[in-house]
Amino acid sequence: CVACEHMTMRALWLVVGVASGLQAVDRRRALKAVSPMLAWASLSSRVSAEDFASSLKPLYKAAVFAQKSRRYNPGEARAPPDFEQGLESTFVGEYRDPNHPEGSRTLKLTESKIGEFRIAEITGTDDPASAPFQVPALVFFDQITVDFTAKGGPPGLTGIWSGTGGIKWPDGNKWPKV
């Protein structure tokens, strides 16, 4: 991150100044002393971002495909452009899954986006005795694409906001919002 590199540079500039007996240190000498550390910091932050992006790449591809291949039914209203904008989106909240009536589902949006898709996460359990799960999702307008592989499900399942307070999935399942 740029701010981290800037703070690292300032701290190392101070270290170089102290190490040189508080003598005047020119910029070239200070940069030469700190450049290996800055290169490492820059590389480590890039690797983390690349790892994160690559882990969501299949989900992103599925979301793009779902967005481009969606066909609206006659009379079906298209979602307004600001449908999912902001952290108080219609999607945010608690849901009930009829396939797991004793379980829970909580959907939260993050502040991050990949392209035009807002990154979301769904947490929950299938029943009180099951282990909790967390799965990533991408939201765009009235569509949500979820990677359920962490709980043994499909990698890019796209649901549609039903307009009646829930998410409708392609298998006919509907999660009503509670």
Side-chain angles (χ1 to χ4, degrees), residues 52-67 83-85 89 91 107-122 135-148 155-161 167 169:
F52 178 72
S54 69
S55 70
L56 292 176
K57 195 171 192 174
L59 183 61
Y60 176 77
K61 286 182 176 183
V64 168
F65 178 78
Q67 174 195 6
F83 184 85
E84 58 80 32
Q85 300 302 315
S89 163
F91 278 106
L107 194 148
K108 295 178 185 175
L109 293 180
T110 70
E111 294 182 12
S112 302
K113 285 182 139 187
I114 296 178
E116 54 197 357
F117 298 94
R118 173 125 7 226
I119 298 173
E121 69 176 25
I122 299 175
V135 294
L138 296 176
V139 173
F140 180 75
F141 293 141
D142 62 343
Q143 292 184 192
I144 181 168
T145 302
V146 185
D147 180 357
F148 283 108
L157 189 65
T158 297
I160 307 291
W161 182 257
I167 302 170
W169 301 99

Side-chain angles (χ1 to χ4, degrees), residues 5 8 12 31 34-46:
E5 288 179 16
T8 304
L12 291 174
L31 284 172
V34 300
S35 63
M37 294 182 88
L38 288 176
W40 176 83
S42 174
L43 178 63
S44 66
S45 66
R46 254 186 265 131

Side-chain angles (χ1 to χ4, degrees), residues 72-89:
Y72 289 89
N73 295 324
E76 182 181 2
R78 294 177 190 254
D82 62 347
F83 184 85
E84 58 80 32
Q85 300 302 315
L87 300 179
E88 298 301 320
S89 163

